[in-house]
């Protein structure tokens, strides 16, 4: 399984991720990107379906500030450890 999360502390609102993977990313009221897929609310706890892996990876690779994080387990678990 893959999970995705945007580090808003480093996102510069460049907009590349939403253009690359509009099904996964959306922007908050400040224009910062967040993972919106499945109502995730940028918690990084919603499993990203396999058919979206390519878009997700392209977005992560294309982010100029490396703000898009991808992991094999939910981010909330990682944060709690
Ligand atoms: Fe921000 Fe990177 Fe997307 S800077 S808007 S997370 S491509």
């Amino acid at each position: 399984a893959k999970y995705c999360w945007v580090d808003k502390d480093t996102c510069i609102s460049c907009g590349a991720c939403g253009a690359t993977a509009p099904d996964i990313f959306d922007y908050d009221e400040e224009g910062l990107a967040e993972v919106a897929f499945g109502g995730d609310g940028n918690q990084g706890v919603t499993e990203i379906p396999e058919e979206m892996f390519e878009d997700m990876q392209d977005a992560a690779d294309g982010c100029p500030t490396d703000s898009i994080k991808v992991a094999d387990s939910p981010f909330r678990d990682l944060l709690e450890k």
Side-chain angles (χ1 to χ4, degrees), residues 4 15-27 33-39 48-49 51-60 68:
C4 192
C17 54
T20 303
D23 292 338
I24 301 175
F25 302 100
D26 207 344
Y27 302 96
E34 56 188 17
V35 173
F37 174 74
I48 305 295
E51 61 267 25
M52 292 185 181
F53 282 7
E54 207 175 310
D55 281 356
M56 176 179 65
Q57 199 53 55
D58 285 349
I68 298 172

Side-chain angles (χ1 to χ4, degrees), residues 4-19:
C4 192
W5 173 71
V6 176
D7 185 348
K8 292 193 183 196
D9 288 342
T10 56
C11 171
I12 55 168
S13 307
C14 84
C17 54

Side-chain angles (χ1 to χ4, degrees), residues 35-76:
V35 173
F37 174 74
D40 186 68
N42 204 44
Q43 296 300 295
V45 297
T46 306
E47 209 176 312
I48 305 295
E50 214 170 320
E51 61 267 25
M52 292 185 181
F53 282 7
E54 207 175 310
D55 281 356
M56 176 179 65
Q57 199 53 55
D58 285 349
D61 291 344
C63 176
T65 58
D66 224 0
S67 299
I68 298 172
K69 314 298 183 187
V70 175
D72 296 334
S73 49
F75 279 89
R76 189 179 285 155

